[in-house]
């Protein structure tokens, strides 16, 4: 329309969605909006708008988030794909802040500054195996599995053991005093894992000698799994006759006489069942 001389015209710049008013140029300058202009001549005015620019801030603890495209700022309407990757031993549970839900990956449209948190939680542990499968009290056992993070206890059939967490997938533990055959458990702040097989607490067989001789064990192990039968064979020492002092007899040999402590009798060889730690004394007597 046409305006009479000296008419004051009010101008109000309204940006489209996603844009912001910047300033006026032409016969009107400045960034005041709304503003007015005096029609004392023909006027040409341009309202300048710029697309909005936004920031996307993502927080991730115990995991990472990748942005595609990965830019410091985004113009209005740009879509960004977010992919959450948990650290070892953790699981992704969902988004919070300016994004909700648990879809992963997920796409967000940049229509404002965004602050988003990717939430991860510690997984309960799992046990995939352990070695050795048996051993006596004090044996070092290597346990393998997952989520060995924030571990609070390791137990052998319910008996608390000392342990070292070597990594999120490996623990070394010492079979504790009082442990019995049973499952191994590993507990962290998220839960408890129980081994699918049992650790057999091995027993020690201690041999003592009275007199002169030896004892062989069959099988000959450092420790024995519960219920193992061990055959013991006593072998006396044979020596030559000595006459160091005239008319003083010296033994010419030794002979096995009997078993004592956890095995009794005179049978040789003789077997013992390993139902616990055992001590057996072989008694040899001299033969003159």
């Amino acid at each position: 329309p046409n305006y009479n001389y000296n008419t004051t015209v009010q101008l109000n710049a309204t940006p489209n969605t996603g844009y912001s008013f910047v300033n006026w140029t032409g016969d009107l300058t400045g960034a005041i909006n709304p503003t007015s202009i005096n029609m004392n001549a023909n006027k040409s005015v341009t309202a300048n708008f710029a697309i909005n620019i936004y920031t996307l801030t993502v927080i991730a603890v115990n995991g990472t988030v990748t942005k595609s495209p990965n830019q410091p700022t985004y113009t209005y309407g740009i879509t960004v794909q977010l992919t959450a990757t948990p650290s070892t031993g953790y699981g992704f549970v969902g988004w919070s802040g300016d994004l909700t839900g648990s879809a992963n990956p997920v796409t967000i449209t940049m229509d404002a500054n965004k602050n988003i948190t990717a939430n991860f939680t510690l997984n309960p542990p799992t046990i995939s195996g352990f070695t050795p499968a048996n051993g006596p009290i004090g044996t070092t056992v290597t346990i393998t599995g997952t989520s060995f993070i924030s571990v609070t206890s390791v137990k052998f059939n319910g008996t608390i053991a000392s342990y070292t967490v070597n990594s999120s997938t490996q623990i070394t533990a010492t079979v504790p005093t009082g442990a019995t055959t049973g499952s191994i458990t590993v507990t962290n702040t998220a839960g408890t894992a129980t081994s699918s097989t049992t650790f057999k607490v091995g027993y020690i067989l201690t041999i003592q000698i009275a007199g002169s001789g030896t004892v062989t064990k069959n099988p000959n192990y450092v420790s024995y799994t519960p219920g193992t039968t061990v055959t013991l064979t006593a072998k006396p020492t044979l020596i030559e006759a000595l006459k160091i002092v005239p008319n003083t007899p010296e033994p010419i040999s030794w002979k096995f006489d009997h078993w004592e402590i956890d095995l009794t009798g005179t049978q040789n060889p003789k077997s013992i069942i390993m139902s616990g730690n055992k001590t057996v004394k072989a008694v040899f007597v001299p033969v003159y």
Side-chain angles (χ1 to χ4, degrees):
N2 295 321
Y3 296 93
N4 294 330
Y5 176 77
N6 273 346
T7 298
T8 299
V9 180
Q10 186 171 9
L11 301 177
N12 187 7
T14 303
N16 292 333
T17 302
Y19 287 78
S20 296
F21 171 74
V22 178
N23 59 12
W24 305 97
T25 55
D27 291 323
L28 182 63
T29 59
I32 298 175
N33 183 45
T35 188
S36 60
I37 189 172
N38 181 263
M39 296 300 296
N40 55 11
N42 291 328
K43 304 286 185 177
S44 177
V45 175
T46 299
N48 299 293
F49 301 92
I51 192 168
N52 293 338
I53 297 176
Y54 302 116
T55 58
L56 175 57
T57 302
V58 179
I59 299 172
V61 178
N62 297 318
T64 59
V65 175
T66 57
K67 300 182 289 185
S68 180
N70 184 14
Q71 301 172 185
T73 59
Y74 298 91
T75 56
Y76 170 81
I78 290 292
T79 57
V80 183
Q81 185 180 68
L82 303 179
T83 302
T85 302
S87 300
T88 300
Y90 290 81
F92 173 71
V93 293
W95 308 96
S96 58
D98 290 321
L99 182 63
T100 58
S102 58
N104 185 37
V106 69
T107 298
I108 187 170
T109 300
M110 295 302 297
D111 54 7
N113 293 325
K114 303 286 185 178
N115 291 281
I116 296 170
T117 299
N119 300 292
F120 303 92
T121 188
L122 179 65
N123 293 329
T126 66
I127 297 176
S128 57
F130 54 83
T131 185
N134 60 79
I137 302 302
T139 298
T140 298
V141 179
T142 300
I143 306 167
T144 54
T146 63
S147 297
F148 293 159
I149 300 169
S150 299
V151 174
T152 57
S153 73
V154 176
K155 297 179 181 179
F156 286 76
N157 202 26
T159 301
I160 296 175
S162 60
Y163 63 92
T164 299
V165 178
N166 304 316
S167 69
S168 63
T169 59
Q170 185 184 86
I171 292 173
T172 52
T174 302
V175 180
T177 300
T180 55
T181 295
S183 299
I184 297 175
T185 59
V186 174
T187 300
N188 70 5
T189 54
T192 298
T194 301
S195 63
S196 60
T197 58
T198 58
F199 179 86
K200 296 181 179 179
V201 177
Y203 298 125
I204 301 297
L205 176 56
T206 302
I207 302 297
Q208 297 179 357
I209 303 294
S212 182
T214 60
V215 174
T216 60
K217 301 180 292 184
N218 184 26
N220 184 17
Y221 297 149
V222 175
S223 66
Y224 297 90
T225 56
T228 299
T229 298
V230 184
T231 300
L232 303 179
T233 302
K235 296 181 179 181
T237 300
L238 300 178
I239 60 175
E240 295 181 356
L242 298 174
K243 294 183 179 180
I244 300 175
V245 179
N247 302 320
T248 300
E250 296 290 337
I252 60 172
S253 65
W254 295 80
K255 71 174 182 179
F256 171 74
D257 190 69
H258 65 277
W259 305 100
E260 291 183 354
I261 308 179
D262 289 323
L263 189 64
T264 59
T266 60
Q267 182 181 344
N268 184 36
K270 191 169 185 180
S271 296
I272 186 170
I273 297 175
M274 297 301 294
S275 58
N277 292 327
K278 302 287 185 178
T279 300
V280 174
K281 180 186 286 187
V283 179
F284 299 91
V285 297
V287 176
Y288 293 93

